Amino acid sequence: MNVEPSMRVEDKLYYNRYLVDVGHPHVKVRAHTTPSPQLLALLKVCPARCYELNDNGQVEITVDGCIECGTCRVIAEPTGDIQWSHPRGGYGVLFKFG
Ligand code: SF4
């Protein structure tokens, strides 16, 4: 029995809109030379794929598209690997339902 979903999460996320607060990212990655296990986990768990490895093997974040789910906050804020706050009023994700 084939149970292929009719639509993927990535396809749904495309409908959201995001107002970028230039110069005020609401999530920051602590400067590091070698990523911690927590930072490496963020590459896989962020549903919006905001985290990626740069050419030096360090984890970077691009907050555009963040859906503010808080997953990275649970994993990497307690260890100090990231700083997380809500976007300033009016900025951030605008969900479209349906
Ligand atoms: S809050 Fe969620 S969507 Fe935003 S960067 Fe963290 S894991 Fe990704």
Side-chain angles (χ1 to χ4, degrees), residues 17-25 62-65 87-88 90-93:
R17 293 291 170 257
Y18 194 90
L19 186 58
V20 178
D21 190 0
V22 178
H24 297 93
T62 304
V63 295
D64 308 8
R88 296 194 302 169
Y91 292 101
V93 67

Side-chain angles (χ1 to χ4, degrees), residues 9-21:
V9 170
E10 289 84 355
D11 297 330
K12 286 275 192 181
L13 291 175
Y14 178 76
Y15 290 109
N16 294 330
R17 293 291 170 257
Y18 194 90
L19 186 58
V20 178
D21 190 0

Side-chain angles (χ1 to χ4, degrees), residues 5-95:
S6 60
M7 185 174 251
R8 300 177 315 145
V9 170
E10 289 84 355
D11 297 330
K12 286 275 192 181
L13 291 175
Y14 178 76
Y15 290 109
N16 294 330
R17 293 291 170 257
Y18 194 90
L19 186 58
V20 178
D21 190 0
V22 178
H24 297 93
H26 68 283
V27 185
K28 297 176 183 171
V29 175
R30 180 179 60 171
H32 59 281
T33 51
T34 304
S36 67
Q38 288 79 11
L39 283 178
L40 290 174
L42 302 183
L43 300 171
K44 295 183 178 177
V45 301
C46 173
R49 300 191 180 181
C50 294
Y51 293 91
E52 61 185 3
L53 278 180
N54 65 19
D55 292 340
N56 295 323
Q58 297 155 336
V59 174
E60 290 183 339
I61 183 169
T62 304
V63 295
D64 308 8
C66 168
I67 59 172
E68 302 168 32
C69 68
T71 304
C72 60
R73 186 175 197 180
V74 171
I75 294 174
E77 193 180 47
T79 58
D81 286 304
I82 65 167
Q83 289 180 312
W84 200 104
S85 59
H86 289 286
R88 296 194 302 169
Y91 292 101
V93 67
L94 175 64
F95 290 104

